Amino acid sequence: MPARLPSWAWVTGLTTGAIAVVAVMAVQADQGTKPTASASRPSASATADAKPSAKPRQPPAVPADSGTGRRIVYSLGDHRVWLVDASDAARRSFTVWPGTVSPDPGTYTIGTRTQATTGSDGVQVEHVIYFAAKSGTSIAFSNAVDGSSPPPAASGTRTGGIRVSKNDGKALWTFGTAGTTVRVVE
């Protein structure tokens, strides 16, 4: 008569089998395939036909007409910011969501910085860095506390906030101390 397995061995075997099935299904779901008997085995043609993944796209170079030295460059047309060090190397670049009031092209200096407040759109913002004003509207970089991007402004609403992502807001806050130059280009 065959030896009887203890009950824990039987449960362990079932658990291990269940985990393996779930892992295979998760991989198949991630690859967008339906579970089949052949889907669990790699095929020679799948490996031979594999193409190298595309290289990550590099952000555009710092605009040539943006000055020299340590500065923040804001491109109105590209909706992009560069944090440029003293050697004129871009240390970080990211896209932004502009408000309805944009600064004119030119050179500005960071004045007031506010850790957190409510934006003109009613959203709680942090890392607010003021650098310009236009027609009575203050213009500043900031990020939403909840990390959201701003919805389109309501018709007629004047907003000077240039919204950035939460991580970019932290980097901008660290880089953009009072007195830092902000160069706005077309």
Side-chain angles (χ1 to χ4, degrees):
M1 178 167 187
R4 191 170 179 170
L5 292 174
S7 62
W8 61 268
W10 182 76
V11 171
T12 301
L14 281 179
T15 303
T16 303
I19 290 171
V21 169
V22 169
V24 167
M25 291 176 73
V27 168
Q28 290 171 343
D30 188 46
Q31 294 174 350
T33 59
K34 293 182 180 177
T36 64
S38 64
S40 62
R41 293 188 314 263
S43 70
S45 64
T47 305
D49 296 340
K51 294 180 182 173
S53 61
K55 290 182 180 178
R57 199 171 68 111
Q58 295 295 321
V62 177
D65 59 346
S66 67
T68 59
R70 188 177 187 281
R71 65 198 182 280
I72 297 169
V73 177
Y74 172 40
S75 170
L76 297 168
D78 291 331
H79 299 169
R80 177 170 288 280
V81 167
W82 291 264
L83 306 182
V84 183
D85 69 15
S87 69
D88 288 324
R91 292 297 169 205
R92 188 178 186 116
S93 179
F94 47 90
T95 56
V96 300
W97 298 277
T100 60
V101 178
S102 295
D104 293 324
T107 303
Y108 302 88
T109 302
I110 293 175
T112 306
R113 293 171 18 120
T114 303
Q115 180 63 43
T117 190
T118 301
S120 56
D121 56 0
V123 173
Q124 293 296 311
V125 294
E126 62 186 351
H127 305 125
V128 186
I129 300 174
Y130 296 93
F131 67 92
K134 184 174 179 181
S135 303
T137 301
S138 295
I139 300 173
F141 297 111
S142 66
N143 66 271
V145 172
D146 67 4
S148 65
S149 62
S155 179
T157 303
R158 297 178 57 81
T159 59
I162 302 164
R163 202 62 55 78
V164 303
S165 73
K166 195 164 183 78
N167 287 337
D168 294 331
K170 289 177 186 176
L172 192 54
W173 180 259
T174 300
F175 188 88
T177 56
T180 299
T181 298
V182 177
R183 177 74 174 144
V184 178
V185 298
E186 286 292 333

